[in-house]
Amino acid sequence: MQATVFSPHDHTHCVSSAISNAQNLCVERGVRLTPVRQRVLELVWRSHQPIGAYELLAGLVKEGFNSAPPTVYRALEFLCTQGLLHKLEGINAYVGCCNPDTPHQGHFLLCKDCHQAQELDSQYISLAIKLSADQHGFEIKRHTIEIVGICQACLDKPKKLESKL
Amino acid sequence: MQATVFSPHDHTHCVSSAISNAQNLCVERGVRLTPVRQRVLELVWRSHQPIGAYELLAGLVKEGFNSAPPTVYRALEFLCTQGLLHKLEGINAYVGCCNPDTPHQGHFLLCKDCHQAQELDSQYISLAIKLSADQHGFEIKRHTIEIVGICQACLDKPKKLESKL
DNA sequence: TGACAAATTGTTATATTATAACCTACTATG
DNA sequence: CATAGTAGGTTATAATATAACAATTTGTCA
Ligand SMILES: [Zn+2]
Ligand SMILES: [Zn+2]
Ligand SMILES: [Zn+2]
Ligand SMILES: [Zn+2]
């Protein structure tokens, strides 16, 4: 059992290191982490759980950025392309990537109780998918792996009403 | 290499057997495969590729059914709950389930060229996911596994423009 | 520097996907 | 038939996402 996003931790540290890591990466890659883009990245990380485009947009507006949807969708597209964010298709929400240095598609555990998303990088899952695809002569471009359930921390808590995530 | 949805086949047979199978299942389960529900199921199967809610709605309208969104969304919810359809979250589209007798979540290969969806039932993938979840003390409720790429048949065809599926 | 191309952002409008709320009609059962 | 439960009709609106084009900023190099 390892430390995860589900366990308590100093999240301001996660945020600031994600940002500075992103800044370095963008410099290395010769792409621009503009103010809107950085702000969106920061808002995603700060939320500590998957967050939707329009909620991010509301955050931008509060700080004087433009309030039209394309603003945030463009930033999200850039950040996802750079591997700094992942989109969770099942809930139309975005999470920060924990390891953006090596671009990849993530595997996610989504807790339907606390709404945290834990990114995995399981070689077993990757391999199993590769094998299945090979059996069908199928060439993989990308994949979506989203596992919904209850995290350890929530299982340990006294039971309460469940949302319908 | 096995026979798949990607290979040519008599699809009218797929449709009719899916429908009669669904009818039997619903009787067994004491639930009602009403005309709208059956028609939606048929439209999904007939399309021979994942199909969206509003396209289905257009199909219903042509045949004199009600034309408001709740009509089709209710039918889709019923059919998904009964395991007769699966929703592909990555593209907001629906496909018929090939084995609705034993309810399950599917694993899908989605070809971005011919837009066919092949449902898998890989024990390797299921096991790999189970192992990853167990490592984190995570209790799985459901999952979304969608693998996007190019199918064997399309790889064999002369290369042409690719959509951005 | 100043001209230009490329990238980014602003702005307006609209497309696409999905649900809420409330009412009516049908169905099964005693 | 009464009546409770299920399903469908209808209207409105919420939530998510993109198209199209104009304005601005940035990088490049003559
Ligand atoms: Zn990641
Ligand atoms: Zn949890
Ligand atoms: Zn299935
Ligand atoms: Zn194909």
Side-chain angles (χ1 to χ4, degrees):
Chain A
M1 182 60 197
Q2 21 182 308
T4 74
V5 67
F6 299 122
S7 351
H9 60 279
D10 175 11
H11 193 59
T12 59
H13 177 68
C14 300
V15 178
S16 57
S17 79
I19 297 296
S20 70
N21 191 14
Q23 288 169 336
N24 294 335
L25 263 182
C26 287
V27 171
E28 279 172 27
R29 294 176 186 170
V31 296
R32 296 171 52 208
L33 189 61
T34 62
V36 202
R37 290 167 175 177
Q38 179 169 326
R39 204 70 197 95
V40 170
L41 183 60
E42 225 169 302
L43 288 168
V44 172
W45 272 100
R46 289 239 287 242
S47 90
H48 206 266
Q49 63 182 236
I51 182 172
Y54 280 77
E55 197 178 341
L56 289 167
L57 190 54
L60 286 180
V61 169
K62 272 194 208 151
E63 309 181 18
F65 288 93
N66 180 28
S67 70
T71 300
V72 72
Y73 279 104
R74 284 165 179 157
L76 288 170
E77 191 195 3
F78 170 86
L79 295 166
C80 287
T81 299
Q82 292 301 321
L84 295 165
L85 297 183
H86 295 291
K87 179 177 184 185
L88 301 177
E89 300 287 352
I91 55 174
N92 298 311
Y94 300 81
V95 288
C97 177
C98 300
N99 181 22
D101 303 84
T102 56
H104 60 271
Q105 253 97 42
H107 315 149
F108 293 92
L109 300 180
L110 309 180
C111 178
K112 52 187 282 194
D113 191 350
C114 67
H115 299 109
Q116 301 299 301
Q118 170 71 48
E119 180 173 355
L120 307 179
D121 185 12
S122 158
Q123 294 310 305
Y124 293 118
I125 294 177
S126 299
L127 187 59
I129 286 171
K130 178 84 172 59
L131 282 175
S132 289
D134 284 349
Q135 277 180 6
H136 290 78
F138 188 93
E139 184 183 302
I140 299 177
K141 297 293 186 188
R142 57 186 182 76
H143 62 238
T144 300
I145 313 288
E146 295 169 17
I147 305 167
V148 177
I150 312 285
C151 77
Q152 172 106 67
C154 290
L155 286 171
D156 291 345
K157 285 185 299 195
K159 195 110 181 179
K160 56 181 179 179
L161 251 57
E162 284 170 7
S163 76
K164 64 162 186 175
L165 172 71
Chain B
M1 182 60 197
Q2 22 181 308
T4 74
V5 68
F6 299 121
S7 350
H9 61 279
D10 176 11
H11 193 60
T12 58
H13 177 68
C14 300
V15 178
S16 57
S17 78
I19 298 296
S20 69
N21 191 13
Q23 288 169 335
N24 294 336
L25 264 182
C26 287
V27 170
E28 280 172 28
R29 294 178 185 168
V31 296
R32 296 171 51 208
L33 190 62
T34 62
V36 200
R37 291 167 174 178
Q38 179 168 326
R39 204 70 199 92
V40 169
L41 182 59
E42 224 169 301
L43 288 168
V44 172
W45 272 99
R46 288 238 288 242
S47 90
H48 206 267
Q49 62 182 237
I51 183 172
Y54 279 77
E55 198 178 341
L56 289 167
L57 191 53
L60 286 180
V61 170
K62 272 193 207 150
E63 307 181 20
F65 287 93
N66 180 28
S67 70
T71 299
V72 72
Y73 279 104
R74 284 164 178 158
L76 289 170
E77 192 195 2
F78 171 85
L79 295 166
C80 287
T81 299
Q82 292 301 320
L84 295 164
L85 296 183
H86 295 291
K87 179 177 184 184
L88 301 176
E89 299 288 351
I91 56 175
N92 298 312
Y94 300 81
V95 288
C97 176
C98 300
N99 182 20
D101 303 86
T102 56
H104 59 271
Q105 253 98 42
H107 315 151
F108 292 92
L109 299 180
L110 309 180
C111 179
K112 52 188 281 192
D113 191 351
C114 66
H115 300 110
Q116 301 299 301
Q118 171 70 49
E119 180 173 356
L120 308 179
D121 185 12
S122 158
Q123 295 310 307
Y124 292 117
I125 294 177
S126 298
L127 187 59
I129 286 171
K130 178 85 173 58
L131 283 175
S132 289
D134 284 349
Q135 277 179 6
H136 291 78
F138 188 94
E139 184 182 301
I140 300 177
K141 296 293 187 187
R142 56 187 184 76
H143 62 238
T144 300
I145 312 287
E146 295 170 16
I147 306 167
V148 177
I150 311 286
C151 78
Q152 173 106 65
C154 289
L155 286 170
D156 291 347
K157 285 185 298 194
K159 195 110 183 180
K160 56 182 177 178
L161 251 55
E162 284 171 8
S163 76
K164 62 160 185 175
L165 173 69

